[in-house]
Amino acid sequence: MIADKVSDRPPTTTFAVLGLLSWGPRSPYGLWQIAEQSLAHFWTISKSQVYGEVARLEELGYVEGEEVAQDGLPDKTVFRITEAGESALDVWLADPSHEPDRFRSGFLVKVFFGHRVPHQTLLQMVQTYEEETRRGVEALRTVLDMDLPPGFEYARLTAQLGKRVGEAALGWAVDTLKELEGAKERTP
Amino acid sequence: MIADKVSDRPPTTTFAVLGLLSWGPRSPYGLWQIAEQSLAHFWTISKSQVYGEVARLEELGYVEGEEVAQDGLPDKTVFRITEAGESALDVWLADPSHEPDRFRSGFLVKVFFGHRVPHQTLLQMVQTYEEETRRGVEALRTVLDMDLPPGFEYARLTAQLGKRVGEAALGWAVDTLKELEGAKERTP
DNA sequence: ATCCTCATGTAACACGTTACATGATTAC
DNA sequence: GTAATCATGTAACGTGTTACATGAGGAT
C-alpha cells in the first residue's frame, strides 16, 4: 500500500503561534510573553520554540518578518501574519479533529506507588498539592470575576474548564487528606 | 557561584519503570503493557522508551537482565530489580518534591481561538469532547466499582482523582454546549 | 559599584513518538 | 490461505527544555 506521503501538517504549536499573531504583529519574544499568560494554561510553548515556529511559519509564507531597530534594546524582528496565514489558520480551526488531551503528573506517580512511600511524606505531598491547587483555582476565580474585554469570551470558556477541573482536584485532595489522616497505619 | 554540578537524577519515567519492576521481574515489552493499563492515565510511557529506561537502570545497577529463550516467540530479556534498585526507588519516593503537573489540550487551543471557528464546528468539537469524556468517566467508574485486589489502594486513589476531574470536564462540556446552542450567532 | 532582571536571541541536549522489521500465532 | 495481531525489538525523527550569551536599565 503506497501511502502517498501525506504532506505533513504542522503541529498544534505552530498554529497556536499563528493564532497569537492573528491578534497583531509581534516579535518572538513578545509572542512568548503573551503565550505565557494565555495559552500556557493548556498549551505551554517555550521561548526557543517560538523562534523555531516563526521561522517555520515564515518558510510557509504564513508570516512576514521585519527588522526593527530599538533604542537601548537589541534589535528585534517583528512578524506579521499574511493573508495566506489567515487562511491557513482558518482552515486549521475549521477542522474539528485534534490530538487527544494529555495529562502528566509526577505527583500521581508517587501516589500510585504510595504503599512504599512513608506515611508522613505522602501526607505532606497531598497537602502541598492541595495548597497549590487551591491557589490555582483562586487565581482563576479572580480572572473569571473580572469583566473580560469583548472578544475574550472563548478565553473565558477555557478558563472555566480550568476552574472546574481545579475545583475537582481540590476536592479530591481534601478528601484524600482526611482519608490518609484517618489511616493510622505505621508506614514509618 | 560555582554550582557543583549536581549529579543529575534520572527523570520520573525512569523511576516509574523501576516502580513497575518492584512488582516483579518483567521484560520491557511486558512492562510496557502493564504501564499502558496503569500509569498511562497520568504518565504515558512509549514502548521504545521502556527499552531505553531499562538500559539506563541496568547501567545504574538498579536492575539485572536475563536472557530467556521462548518457544514460538522471540527470545526476550527479563529484568529484575536489585537491592540497590529497591533502595533507589524508596529514596525517590520519600522525596516529596515532584515536577509540576502538565496538561496539554489541542482541543482547548481551538476553543481559545473560537471567535474564528465556524459555529457548527465548535459545537461538534464540544459534543465530541463530551462523548469522549463521558466514556472515560464511565470506564473509571466501572474500575472503581470493582473490588480492587488488596495492595491497590493507592492505584484507586489516582483513579478517583481521574474520575473527579473527568466529571468536572463533563459538566463543563454539557454547560458549554447549552451556552453555545443558546447563542444564535451567525458565524458561518 | 555591584547585582539582578529584562529583552533579545542561539545552541545543545533530553524526552517522547512514530515508523520499521520479523517470525509465530490467531482469525476469517 | 491470506490477513491481522502479538511479542519482541531497533532506528529515526520531531518536540520541547535548559543552558548559554549579551548589553541596557533598574535596584540596593
Side-chain angles (χ1 to χ4, degrees):
Chain A
M1 208 62 40
I2 306 142
D4 244 280
K5 184 172 180 66
V6 169
S7 62
D8 284 319
R9 301 201 185 290
T12 297
T13 302
T14 312
F15 289 103
V17 171
L18 189 58
L20 293 179
L21 276 171
S22 79
W23 294 0
R26 301 261 174 187
S27 69
Y29 186 85
L31 285 168
W32 171 68
Q33 283 180 313
I34 60 176
E36 284 295 294
Q37 291 168 356
S38 53
L39 291 172
H41 299 292
F42 43 88
W43 197 274
T44 58
I45 308 177
S46 73
K47 187 157 56 79
S48 4
Q49 252 186 309
V50 178
Y51 287 92
E53 294 302 343
V54 294
R56 165 158 33 186
L57 288 167
E58 193 169 36
E59 290 216 346
L60 289 167
Y62 294 168
V63 305
E64 284 168 353
E66 184 191 2
E67 279 283 310
V68 173
Q70 295 185 109
D71 163 59
L73 287 177
D75 295 358
K76 65 181 173 182
T77 310
V78 169
F79 291 88
R80 167 186 310 273
I81 192 170
T82 64
E83 291 207 4
E86 302 252 3
S87 304
L89 176 60
D90 286 333
V91 167
W92 182 74
L93 286 170
D95 175 0
S97 75
H98 52 83
E99 66 240 79
D101 290 1
R102 326 252 247 68
F103 173 63
R104 199 143 244 261
S105 174
F107 165 66
L108 284 183
V109 174
K110 290 195 178 178
V111 171
F112 185 77
F113 294 114
H115 54 107
R116 297 182 74 114
V117 178
H119 195 242
Q120 286 309 313
T121 304
L122 201 52
L123 269 178
Q124 184 192 337
M125 291 193 323
V126 179
Q127 247 160 12
T128 305
Y129 184 74
E130 191 225 302
E131 288 156 16
E132 289 166 352
T133 308
R134 189 183 299 278
R135 272 198 296 277
V137 167
E138 272 164 16
L140 277 175
R141 282 196 184 129
T142 307
V143 169
L144 285 167
D145 280 348
M146 304 187 319
D147 278 321
L148 286 177
F152 281 71
E153 293 311 317
Y154 293 97
R156 161 181 285 265
L157 279 184
T158 65
Q160 275 167 348
L161 177 52
K163 189 187 107 185
R164 292 209 193 195
V165 165
E167 285 166 346
L170 185 53
W172 174 89
V174 169
D175 291 351
T176 298
L177 267 181
K178 282 192 208 128
E179 194 176 324
L180 290 178
E181 276 161 357
K184 286 297 174 209
E185 24 186 16
R186 25 76 213 93
T187 327
Chain B
M1 211 64 36
I2 305 139
D4 245 280
K5 184 173 179 66
V6 170
S7 62
D8 284 319
R9 302 200 183 291
T12 297
T13 302
T14 311
F15 289 103
V17 170
L18 189 58
L20 293 180
L21 276 172
S22 78
W23 295 0
R26 304 260 173 186
S27 69
Y29 186 85
L31 285 169
W32 171 69
Q33 283 180 313
I34 60 175
E36 283 296 294
Q37 290 167 357
S38 53
L39 290 171
H41 299 293
F42 44 87
W43 197 273
T44 59
I45 308 178
S46 74
K47 186 158 55 78
S48 4
Q49 251 186 309
V50 178
Y51 287 92
E53 294 302 343
V54 293
R56 165 157 33 186
L57 287 166
E58 194 168 38
E59 293 218 344
L60 289 167
Y62 294 169
V63 305
E64 284 168 352
E66 185 191 2
E67 278 284 309
V68 174
Q70 296 185 110
D71 162 61
L73 286 178
D75 296 358
K76 65 180 174 184
T77 309
V78 169
F79 291 87
R80 168 186 311 273
I81 192 169
T82 63
E83 292 208 4
E86 301 253 5
S87 303
L89 176 59
D90 286 333
V91 166
W92 182 74
L93 285 170
D95 175 0
S97 75
H98 52 83
E99 66 242 78
D101 291 1
R102 264 97 106 12
F103 172 63
R104 201 145 242 260
S105 173
F107 166 66
L108 284 183
V109 174
K110 290 194 179 179
V111 171
F112 185 76
F113 294 115
H115 55 107
R116 296 182 75 114
V117 177
H119 195 242
Q120 286 308 312
T121 305
L122 202 52
L123 268 177
Q124 185 193 336
M125 291 193 324
V126 179
Q127 246 160 12
T128 305
Y129 183 74
E130 191 225 302
E131 289 155 15
E132 289 166 353
T133 307
R134 189 183 299 278
R135 273 197 296 275
V137 167
E138 272 163 16
L140 277 175
R141 283 198 183 126
T142 307
V143 170
L144 284 169
D145 280 348
M146 304 186 319
D147 278 321
L148 286 178
F152 280 72
E153 292 312 317
Y154 293 98
R156 162 181 284 266
L157 278 186
T158 66
Q160 275 167 346
L161 177 52
K163 188 186 114 192
R164 292 209 194 195
V165 165
E167 284 167 345
L170 185 53
W172 174 87
V174 169
D175 291 351
T176 298
L177 267 181
K178 280 191 210 133
E179 193 177 324
L180 290 177
E181 276 161 356
K184 287 298 176 211
E185 27 188 13
R186 24 72 209 99
T187 328

